[in-house]
Each structure stands twice: as C-alpha cells, then as structure tokens.
Amino acid sequence: MQISNANLAYTLFRLANLMEISGEPGAKVQAYRTAAQQILEYPEKLANLTLTGRALTTIKGVGESIASQLQAMLTDGHMPRYEELKAEVPEGLIELLSIRGLGAAKVRTLHTALGIAGIDDLREALEAGRLREAKGFTPRTEDRIRRSLYEFSAHRGRTLRALVEPTAMALVELLEALPGVTRAVPAGSYRRGLETVGTLDMVVASDSREEVHRALVAWDFFFGWSDGQPDTMAFLTDSDLHVAVHLVPPGAFGTELHRRTGSAEYLAALTEGLDVLEEPLAESEEQYCAALAIPCLPPELRSGVESLNEVRISGMPELIVVGDIRGDLHMHTTHTDGRNTVEEMARFCRERGLEYLAITDHTRNVRVAGGLFPEEIPGYLEAIELANQRVPGITILKGLEVDILADGSMDMPDEIMAQLDVVIGAIHSHFDQDSEAVTRRVLTAMEHPLVQFIAHPSGRLVGSRSPLLLDFDRLYSAAERTGTMFELNANPERLDLHDQHCRRARQLNIPVVINTDAHAVQQLDNLGKGISQARRGMLAATDVLNTRPLPAMLELLQRKRNQQ
DNA sequence: AGGCTTCTGCCTAATAACGGGACCGTTAT
C-alpha cells in the first residue's frame, strides 16, 4: 500500500504541533506547516515521485531536512522525528492548542504551573477558578478560554464535514464498483449535512459481505479495523476518520438508510404513536416511508423535530439546490489575501455556469490580509473593470468586504463605497465585546445606507471560535426596517448564518445571500456546503438573493440606496 | 527549516491588544 499525500501532510502538521509545544522556534514550525500544505495540494503522489527517481526537494517548501523525514515515512511507514516527539509530549497538550487564547507558550505554562495535560484538566481548573493562579492568566483570559472551550466541546472528536466529503465520495465509488453491491450511500450526520461528522456511516446494499470486506482492507485509505471487531465493519482511515459500514440485503436498503440517517430524536418523533412492531423492509426510503405512511423529509431536515412539525402543518418544502445559485457575491483576489487574480476567479465562475460574481476584497483594518487603503481603490476598480472586458459571458461586479470597526463605523469612506455595486459589512476584530456593544456595532452598520449585507454574521468558527454575543432579534428588526440582508457564508469552517437564523430570516422574508468567500478558485466549489446549510435552514430558492437573475438581484441590492 | 541571494546571512503575512512589569513576549486576525 502506498502512503497518501494526505497522510504525509497530516503527519507533518501533527509534527509541527508537537514541535511548537516543545518550544521549537516559530519559523521552523511554520516551515513544517508550509511544507505540509504544499504536499496536501501537490498534484502527484509523493510515493510516485520517489519511485521515478525525482527528489522530494523539488516540492516548494520541502528542503533537505523535511525531505528526509518524508523519505523515511515513505520507506518504512514511520516518521522518526514525529515518533520521537510524540513519545515526549503529553498527548492532551496538542488538543489544548486548538483552544483560542492558548498558544504553545501558554499551554506549557498551564502544564508546568498547574499540571494541566488536556482539555478535561483545563475544564476542571476553569470551573475551580484556578486558572488565574498561573502567570499570564487573568479573569479576562479565563472568560476567553471558557467561551472557546464551549465551542470546542460542541465538536470535540468530530471532523469538518467538508473534510469527510472526499472520503465519502471515494468510498461510494469504491463500493459501487463491486459487482455484488447495488448501492452505497453515506448516512448519519454526514447525510443530514451537519457542520461536523463523528462517524461516517455508510449504508451498503449487498449480499456479499466477503467482497465488501476484502475491498475495504485493500482500499488505499484503509488504516485498520476499530475495536478489533471486523464484524461491525467499523474501521479507521489513514487520516483518523471513523467509518462504519452497514451492510444490508438490497431489499432492506431503504429501511436501513432511513434508520441510519437519523437523527435518533427525529426518528423517535416520527414514529411516535405509530404501531411499528415490525419495520417494513423496503428497497428505497420512499417505499419505506410510504409503507408506514410517514413523511419522507429531505435528510437535512432530520436533525431535530422542528421541521417535522412545520412540514406536518404547512407541507413539504421545496428546498434550494446548488443549481439555483446564479452568482457568488463574496470572494478575494491577489489584491488582498486571495491566491488568484480577478480574471482567474471570473473564468472559473463562468466555467461553473454562474451569470455574475462580485470581487470583494478586504479593507485596511484586516492587516494580515493586506486590506486595501482608500487610495488603492481606484486601481482596484480599474483592474476589475479590465477583467470584466477580458472575460465575456459573465458580469463581474465591483465590491468590497468592508470591516465594521469596533464602534460600528465602516472602514472605508462613503464616497468610495458609493462607487461600488456590492458593499459587504463584516467583523474581523474585537470579537470579545459584550452583547450590547457588539449588537449595537452591527446595528450601526446595518443602518448605514450603503451597507447591503453582513458577511458571516455570527463570526463563529466551527469548533474553535464561539459566535459573537449578538441579539439576533434586534438584527432581524433592523433587517426588516433597512433592507440590509445577511450572508450565509459557505466556507466549511464558518457556515454562518446558522440554520436556525436561516429559518427566522425566511419567516420574516429577509433574503439570505449565499456566498463562498473564496480565497482561491478551488474554494468557489464550496457553494454546495452553503447549500447544505441553507437546506437545514429550510431555505427555498426564492428565499435567497443570488438565485435571481442579475437585474432583479441588483434591484434588491440597491433597494436601500433608493430609499434614501 | 527553507528560500533566496548577499552563496553567508537574512527574512519569514503586519499589527494591535493584552499581561506583566514599564518594554517585551504571546496570541490573534
């Protein structure tokens, strides 16, 4: 079996974490992360590279030292430096790095001063109020950590759904290619489109257990059976993902798929009061639901009971699909922290069949991103104009993602914002404001006549950064009054608006804008992730701004300005 | 540690907020 690039890359990422904790210089750690990222994106298998006699150092970011670690792993499956440090560094310390407010230095302090060696220790110390005993930790630091810990715990041990997707697709392909397999479909929280997945459940229709078993063991990404119980067909992939394959005879596929899609809470509510002593065996979900005379909701609506009640009252919704989107109104280019030019972004969008896109680079407040200063805007707009002429067949709109500063003012003069087609307001700093301050901050931006929608409104990052303490009821009122809209950001780490806020927006008739926030052409394909989230939020195509043709979309976008 | 050039030595995403001790390290965006 050949080691995959992903496996090599993730080992380097893990090694970088270990090095950081053990106090290696930041630049060195960074070098390992850069190399890992390059390998992740490398078009060819590294294993092939060495087989054909080419040096690993031809990869950007890989020098002698990292190449020798990689070579060792390719040869005998182990990376010496990694194994070494892994034995030295307490395992739990790595997990602590993903808590916001804790870097390597602070983690070391916690370990030496308070004996904290993992998340559970951290939680205990926090609850006992002991954290402030360590140097560099104040009640304020505690607050920060407490909030981050809360978000972390909600997704602990789970993987971003977007990272599971390639594995899920590959498994479907692998299994459906087997002569004895008629269907292979991912179920569970993956199918329900949740932000993160714990175990990837696969429902497979086949009478040949032996065949499936053999195929899994021979699979490139197979690492080993979990729990030493091959009968459950539960295994680990080489990137540490838990997979459970549920094998059923084709005649019971629908029944099993429905059951394994869940959620438990949904299934309980669905069959409540029903006499289901014996489950009907059905080939498809539709047949299964029909046999029991129960509604067959789209999987994205099966995570709770809320949608079930709504569907029972107002009927089955027609949820949005990817093909409904006609334009992407939030993306970055080489003018700030994007990796591709305006023209490249536009060509890619055109290939994907979009009718329009907006280039919306950062403003100066976002320093790391090289945010634009007002005096740079004329050149920026010219570049967009030029690209617009050079890429026929799609319309490129001029926009900016303007920072909402701490006091609610916008990070760009009105005269400049007035020249744009798309003005997005977004928060990238001062995430720790109290509820009143941050709510008023966003309200102020929404009241601004030139701000058309708010990007990633809650500011949460899945599993690491808690949402801003926003009072959404007040934001909805402002949206209704001013015509300001909310974005559903399709970046897999954001997925923000959250589902419950999508529902509310829909009820109040506030259009949602679904955008990728792409920083590279490949990320333009993230639209689907946003759509999954929108479907969980029960949005139909008509609830979304950018499903409209350009003129209708622009009209809604301009509504605020015309009101002035 | 790697990349680039100066082929030995310098820079690595720029800057603000915070906390401890009055300038500097840590962390985040």
Side-chain angles (χ1 to χ4, degrees), chain A residues 146-208:
Chain A
R146 187 173 292 115
R147 291 189 58 206
S148 177
L149 191 59
Y150 186 77
E151 176 66 25
F152 179 84
S153 303
H155 298 277
R156 190 178 183 186
R158 299 173 67 86
T159 311
L160 274 188
R161 182 180 185 279
L163 293 179
V164 176
E165 194 173 276
T167 307
M169 295 298 101
L171 267 177
V172 168
E173 199 180 323
L174 173 85
L175 295 172
E176 290 199 336
L178 300 175
V181 171
T182 52
R183 299 286 311 278
V185 175
S189 50
Y190 180 88
R191 185 164 182 242
R192 300 201 308 276
L194 289 191
E195 293 97 330
T196 55
V197 174
T199 296
L200 173 62
D201 288 291
M202 295 287 305
V203 178
V204 178
S206 171
D207 289 316
S208 172

Coordinates of all heavy atoms in Angstrom, one line a residue, chain A residues 146-208:
Chain A
R146 N -13.0 30.1 28.3 CA -14.2 29.4 28.6 C -15.1 29.4 27.4 O -15.7 28.4 27.0 CB -14.9 30.2 29.8 CG -16.2 29.4 30.3 CD -16.7 30.1 31.5 NE -15.9 29.9 32.7 CZ -15.3 30.9 33.3 NH1 -15.5 32.1 32.9 NH2 -14.5 30.7 34.4
R147 N -15.2 30.5 26.7 CA -16.1 30.6 25.5 C -15.5 29.7 24.4 O -16.3 29.0 23.7 CB -16.1 32.1 25.0 CG -16.9 33.0 26.0 CD -17.2 34.3 25.3 NE -17.9 34.2 24.1 CZ -17.8 35.1 23.1 NH1 -17.1 36.1 23.3 NH2 -18.5 34.9 22.0
S148 N -14.2 29.8 24.2 CA -13.6 28.9 23.2 C -13.8 27.4 23.5 O -14.1 26.6 22.6 CB -12.1 29.3 23.0 OG -11.5 28.4 22.1
L149 N -13.7 27.1 24.8 CA -13.8 25.7 25.2 C -15.3 25.2 24.9 O -15.5 24.1 24.5 CB -13.6 25.7 26.7 CG -13.4 24.3 27.3 CD1 -12.3 23.5 26.7 CD2 -13.2 24.4 28.8
Y150 N -16.2 26.1 25.1 CA -17.6 25.8 24.8 C -17.8 25.4 23.4 O -18.4 24.3 23.1 CB -18.5 27.0 25.2 CG -19.9 26.7 25.1 CD1 -20.6 25.9 26.1 CD2 -20.7 27.1 24.0 CE1 -21.9 25.6 26.1 CE2 -22.1 26.8 23.9 CZ -22.7 26.1 25.0 OH -24.0 25.8 24.9
E151 N -17.3 26.2 22.4 CA -17.4 25.9 21.0 C -16.6 24.6 20.7 O -17.1 23.8 19.9 CB -16.9 27.1 20.2 CG -16.9 26.9 18.7 CD -18.3 26.7 18.1 OE1 -19.3 27.2 18.6 OE2 -18.4 26.0 17.0
F152 N -15.4 24.5 21.3 CA -14.6 23.3 21.0 C -15.3 22.0 21.4 O -15.4 21.0 20.7 CB -13.3 23.4 21.8 CG -12.4 22.3 21.6 CD1 -11.5 22.2 20.5 CD2 -12.4 21.2 22.5 CE1 -10.7 21.1 20.4 CE2 -11.5 20.1 22.4 CZ -10.7 20.1 21.3
S153 N -15.9 22.1 22.6 CA -16.6 20.9 23.2 C -17.7 20.4 22.3 O -18.0 19.2 22.2 CB -17.1 21.1 24.6 OG -16.0 21.5 25.4
A154 N -18.4 21.4 21.7 CA -19.6 21.0 20.9 C -19.2 20.2 19.7 O -20.0 19.5 19.1 CB -20.3 22.3 20.4
H155 N -17.9 20.2 19.2 CA -17.5 19.5 18.1 C -16.3 18.6 18.3 O -15.6 18.1 17.4 CB -17.2 20.4 16.9 CG -18.3 21.2 16.5 ND1 -19.3 20.8 15.6 CD2 -18.7 22.5 16.8 CE1 -20.2 21.7 15.4 NE2 -19.9 22.8 16.1
R156 N -16.0 18.3 19.6 CA -14.9 17.6 20.0 C -14.9 16.1 19.4 O -16.0 15.5 19.5 CB -14.8 17.5 21.5 CG -13.5 16.9 22.0 CD -13.4 16.9 23.5 NE -12.1 16.4 23.9 CZ -11.8 16.1 25.2 NH1 -12.7 16.3 26.1 NH2 -10.6 15.7 25.5
G157 N -13.8 15.7 18.9 CA -13.7 14.4 18.3 C -14.5 14.2 17.0 O -14.6 13.1 16.4
R158 N -15.0 15.3 16.5 CA -15.6 15.3 15.2 C -14.8 16.0 14.1 O -13.9 16.7 14.4 CB -17.0 15.9 15.3 CG -17.9 15.3 16.3 CD -19.2 16.0 16.5 NE -20.1 16.1 15.4 CZ -21.0 15.1 15.1 NH1 -21.1 14.1 15.8 NH2 -21.7 15.3 14.0
T159 N -15.1 15.7 12.8 CA -14.3 16.2 11.7 C -15.3 17.1 10.9 O -16.4 16.8 10.7 CB -13.8 15.1 10.8 OG1 -13.2 14.1 11.7 CG2 -12.8 15.6 9.8
L160 N -14.7 18.2 10.4 CA -15.5 19.1 9.5 C -16.1 18.2 8.4 O -15.4 17.4 7.8 CB -14.6 20.2 8.9 CG -14.4 21.5 9.6 CD1 -13.6 22.4 8.7 CD2 -15.7 22.1 10.1
R161 N -17.3 18.4 8.1 CA -18.0 17.6 7.1 C -17.3 17.7 5.7 O -17.1 16.8 5.0 CB -19.4 18.1 6.9 CG -20.2 17.3 5.9 CD -21.6 17.8 5.8 NE -22.4 16.9 4.9 CZ -22.4 17.1 3.6 NH1 -21.6 18.0 3.0 NH2 -23.1 16.3 2.8
A162 N -16.8 18.9 5.4 CA -16.1 19.2 4.2 C -14.8 18.3 4.0 O -14.5 17.9 2.9 CB -15.8 20.6 4.0
L163 N -14.2 18.0 5.2 CA -13.0 17.2 5.1 C -13.4 15.7 5.0 O -12.6 14.9 4.5 CB -12.2 17.4 6.4 CG -11.6 18.8 6.6 CD1 -10.8 18.9 7.9 CD2 -10.6 19.1 5.4
V164 N -14.6 15.4 5.3 CA -15.0 14.0 5.2 C -15.5 13.7 3.8 O -15.5 12.6 3.3 CB -16.2 13.7 6.2 CG1 -16.8 12.3 6.1 CG2 -15.7 14.0 7.7
E165 N -15.9 14.8 3.1 CA -16.5 14.6 1.8 C -15.7 13.8 0.8 O -16.2 12.8 0.2 CB -16.9 16.0 1.2 CG -17.8 15.9 0.0 CD -18.3 17.2 -0.4 OE1 -19.2 17.7 0.1 OE2 -17.6 17.8 -1.3
P166 N -14.4 14.1 0.6 CA -13.6 13.3 -0.3 C -13.6 11.8 0.1 O -13.7 10.9 -0.8 CB -12.2 13.9 -0.2 CG -12.4 15.2 0.4 CD -13.6 15.2 1.3
T167 N -13.5 11.5 1.3 CA -13.5 10.1 1.8 C -14.9 9.4 1.5 O -14.9 8.3 1.0 CB -13.3 10.0 3.3 OG1 -12.1 10.7 3.6 CG2 -13.2 8.6 3.8
A168 N -15.9 10.2 1.7 CA -17.3 9.6 1.5 C -17.5 9.3 0.0 O -17.9 8.2 -0.4 CB -18.3 10.6 2.0
M169 N -17.0 10.3 -0.8 CA -17.2 10.1 -2.3 C -16.3 8.9 -2.8 O -16.8 8.1 -3.6 CB -16.7 11.4 -3.0 CG -17.5 12.6 -2.8 SD -19.2 12.4 -3.3 CE -20.1 12.1 -1.8
A170 N -15.1 8.8 -2.3 CA -14.2 7.7 -2.7 C -14.8 6.4 -2.3 O -14.7 5.4 -3.0 CB -12.8 7.9 -2.0
L171 N -15.4 6.3 -1.1 CA -16.0 5.1 -0.6 C -17.2 4.7 -1.5 O -17.3 3.5 -1.8 CB -16.4 5.2 0.8 CG -15.4 4.8 1.9 CD1 -16.0 5.1 3.3 CD2 -15.1 3.3 1.8
V172 N -18.0 5.6 -1.8 CA -19.1 5.3 -2.7 C -18.6 4.7 -4.0 O -19.1 3.7 -4.5 CB -19.9 6.6 -3.0 CG1 -20.9 6.4 -4.1 CG2 -20.6 7.1 -1.7
E173 N -17.6 5.4 -4.6 CA -17.0 4.9 -5.8 C -16.4 3.5 -5.7 O -16.7 2.6 -6.5 CB -15.9 5.9 -6.3 CG -15.6 5.8 -7.8 CD -14.5 6.8 -8.1 OE1 -14.5 7.9 -7.6 OE2 -13.7 6.5 -9.0
L174 N -15.7 3.3 -4.6 CA -15.1 2.0 -4.4 C -16.1 0.9 -4.3 O -16.0 -0.1 -4.9 CB -14.2 2.1 -3.1 CG -13.7 0.7 -2.6 CD1 -12.3 0.5 -3.3 CD2 -13.5 0.7 -1.1
L175 N -17.1 1.2 -3.4 CA -18.1 0.1 -3.1 C -19.1 -0.1 -4.3 O -19.4 -1.3 -4.6 CB -18.8 0.4 -1.8 CG -17.9 0.5 -0.6 CD1 -18.7 1.0 0.6 CD2 -17.4 -0.9 -0.3
E176 N -19.5 0.9 -4.9 CA -20.5 0.8 -6.0 C -19.8 0.1 -7.2 O -20.6 -0.4 -8.1 CB -21.2 2.1 -6.4 CG -22.1 2.5 -5.2 CD -23.1 3.6 -5.7 OE1 -22.9 4.3 -6.7 OE2 -24.2 3.6 -5.0
A177 N -18.5 0.1 -7.3 CA -17.8 -0.6 -8.4 C -17.8 -2.1 -8.2 O -17.5 -2.9 -9.1 CB -16.4 -0.1 -8.5
L178 N -18.1 -2.6 -7.0 CA -18.1 -4.0 -6.7 C -19.3 -4.7 -7.4 O -20.4 -4.2 -7.2 CB -18.1 -4.3 -5.2 CG -16.9 -3.7 -4.4 CD1 -17.1 -3.9 -2.9 CD2 -15.6 -4.3 -4.9
P179 N -19.1 -5.8 -8.0 CA -20.2 -6.5 -8.7 C -21.4 -6.8 -7.8 O -22.6 -6.7 -8.1 CB -19.6 -7.7 -9.3 CG -18.2 -7.6 -9.1 CD -17.8 -6.5 -8.2
G180 N -21.1 -7.2 -6.5 CA -22.1 -7.6 -5.6 C -22.8 -6.5 -4.9 O -23.8 -6.7 -4.1
V181 N -22.4 -5.2 -5.1 CA -23.0 -4.1 -4.4 C -23.9 -3.3 -5.4 O -23.5 -2.9 -6.5 CB -21.9 -3.1 -3.9 CG1 -22.5 -1.8 -3.3 CG2 -21.1 -3.8 -2.8
T182 N -25.2 -3.1 -4.9 CA -26.1 -2.3 -5.8 C -26.1 -0.8 -5.4 O -26.2 0.1 -6.3 CB -27.5 -2.8 -5.7 OG1 -27.9 -2.9 -4.3 CG2 -27.6 -4.2 -6.4
R183 N -26.0 -0.5 -4.1 CA -26.0 0.9 -3.7 C -25.0 1.1 -2.5 O -24.9 0.2 -1.7 CB -27.4 1.3 -3.1 CG -28.5 1.3 -4.1 CD -28.5 2.4 -5.1 NE -28.2 3.8 -4.6 CZ -29.2 4.6 -4.1 NH1 -30.4 4.1 -4.1 NH2 -28.9 5.8 -3.7
A184 N -24.4 2.2 -2.4 CA -23.6 2.6 -1.3 C -23.8 4.1 -1.0 O -23.5 4.9 -1.9 CB -22.1 2.3 -1.5
V185 N -24.4 4.4 0.1 CA -24.8 5.8 0.3 C -24.3 6.2 1.8 O -24.6 5.5 2.7 CB -26.3 6.0 0.2 CG1 -26.7 7.4 0.6 CG2 -26.7 5.7 -1.3
P186 N -23.7 7.4 1.9 CA -23.4 7.9 3.2 C -24.6 8.3 4.0 O -25.5 8.9 3.4 CB -22.5 9.2 2.9 CG -22.3 9.2 1.5 CD -23.3 8.3 0.8
A187 N -24.7 8.0 5.2 CA -25.9 8.3 6.0 C -25.5 9.2 7.2 O -24.5 9.9 7.1 CB -26.6 7.0 6.5
G188 N -26.2 9.1 8.3 CA -25.8 9.8 9.5 C -25.8 11.3 9.4 O -26.4 11.9 8.5
S189 N -25.0 11.9 10.3 CA -24.9 13.3 10.3 C -24.3 13.9 9.0 O -24.6 15.0 8.6 CB -24.1 13.8 11.5 OG -22.9 13.1 11.6
Y190 N -23.5 13.0 8.3 CA -23.0 13.4 7.0 C -24.1 13.7 6.0 O -24.2 14.8 5.4 CB -22.1 12.4 6.4 CG -21.5 12.8 5.1 CD1 -20.3 13.5 5.0 CD2 -22.2 12.5 3.9 CE1 -19.8 13.9 3.8 CE2 -21.7 12.9 2.7 CZ -20.5 13.6 2.7 OH -20.0 14.0 1.4
R191 N -25.1 12.8 6.0 CA -26.2 12.9 5.0 C -27.1 14.1 5.5 O -27.7 14.7 4.6 CB -26.9 11.6 4.9 CG -28.0 11.7 3.9 CD -28.5 10.3 3.5 NE -29.5 10.3 2.5 CZ -30.8 9.8 2.7 NH1 -31.1 9.3 3.8 NH2 -31.6 9.9 1.7
R192 N -27.2 14.3 6.8 CA -28.0 15.4 7.2 C -27.4 16.7 7.1 O -28.0 17.8 7.4 CB -28.4 15.2 8.7 CG -29.2 13.9 9.0 CD -29.9 13.9 10.3 NE -29.1 14.3 11.4 CZ -28.3 13.5 12.2 NH1 -28.3 12.2 11.9 NH2 -27.6 14.0 13.2
G193 N -26.1 16.7 6.6 CA -25.4 18.0 6.3 C -25.0 18.8 7.5 O -24.8 20.0 7.4
L194 N -24.7 18.1 8.6 CA -24.2 18.9 9.7 C -22.8 19.4 9.5 O -22.1 19.0 8.6 CB -24.2 18.0 11.0 CG -25.5 17.6 11.6 CD1 -25.3 16.9 12.9 CD2 -26.5 18.8 11.7
E195 N -22.4 20.4 10.3 CA -21.1 21.1 10.1 C -20.0 20.1 10.3 O -19.0 20.1 9.6 CB -20.9 22.2 11.1 CG -21.9 23.4 11.0 CD -23.1 23.3 11.9 OE1 -23.5 22.2 12.2 OE2 -23.6 24.3 12.3
T196 N -20.2 19.2 11.3 CA -19.1 18.2 11.6 C -19.7 16.8 11.6 O -20.9 16.6 11.8 CB -18.4 18.5 12.9 OG1 -19.4 18.5 13.9 CG2 -17.7 19.8 12.9
V197 N -18.8 15.8 11.4 CA -19.2 14.4 11.4 C -18.4 13.6 12.4 O -17.2 13.8 12.5 CB -19.0 13.8 10.0 CG1 -19.3 12.3 10.0 CG2 -19.9 14.5 9.0
G198 N -19.1 12.8 13.2 CA -18.3 12.0 14.2 C -17.9 10.7 13.5 O -16.7 10.6 13.2
T199 N -18.8 9.8 13.2 CA -18.5 8.6 12.4 C -19.2 8.7 11.1 O -20.3 9.2 11.0 CB -19.1 7.4 13.2 OG1 -18.4 7.2 14.4 CG2 -18.9 6.1 12.3
L200 N -18.4 8.4 10.0 CA -19.0 8.4 8.7 C -19.8 7.0 8.6 O -19.2 6.0 8.5 CB -18.0 8.5 7.6 CG -18.5 8.3 6.2 CD1 -19.5 9.4 5.8 CD2 -17.3 8.4 5.2
D201 N -21.1 7.1 8.6 CA -21.9 5.9 8.4 C -22.2 5.7 6.9 O -22.6 6.6 6.2 CB -23.3 6.0 9.1 CG -23.1 6.0 10.6 OD1 -22.8 4.9 11.1 OD2 -23.3 7.0 11.3
M202 N -21.9 4.4 6.5 CA -22.2 4.1 5.1 C -23.2 3.0 5.0 O -23.0 1.9 5.7 CB -20.9 3.6 4.3 CG -19.8 4.7 4.2 SD -20.2 6.0 3.0 CE -20.5 5.0 1.5
V203 N -24.3 3.2 4.3 CA -25.2 2.1 4.1 C -25.0 1.4 2.8 O -25.0 2.1 1.7 CB -26.7 2.6 4.3 CG1 -27.6 1.4 4.0 CG2 -26.9 3.2 5.6
V204 N -24.7 0.1 2.8 CA -24.3 -0.6 1.6 C -25.3 -1.8 1.3 O -25.5 -2.6 2.2 CB -22.9 -1.1 1.7 CG1 -22.5 -1.9 0.5 CG2 -22.0 0.1 1.9
A205 N -25.8 -1.8 0.1 CA -26.7 -2.9 -0.3 C -25.9 -3.9 -1.0 O -25.4 -3.7 -2.1 CB -27.9 -2.3 -1.2
S206 N -25.8 -5.1 -0.3 CA -25.1 -6.2 -0.9 C -25.4 -7.5 -0.2 O -25.6 -7.5 1.0 CB -23.6 -5.9 -0.9 OG -22.9 -7.0 -1.3
D207 N -25.3 -8.6 -0.9 CA -25.4 -9.9 -0.3 C -24.1 -10.5 0.0 O -24.0 -11.6 0.6 CB -26.3 -10.8 -1.1 CG -27.8 -10.4 -1.1 OD1 -28.3 -10.1 -0.1 OD2 -28.4 -10.3 -2.2
S208 N -23.0 -9.8 -0.4 CA -21.7 -10.4 -0.3 C -20.8 -9.7 0.7 O -20.1 -8.8 0.3 CB -21.1 -10.5 -1.7 OG -19.7 -10.9 -1.6

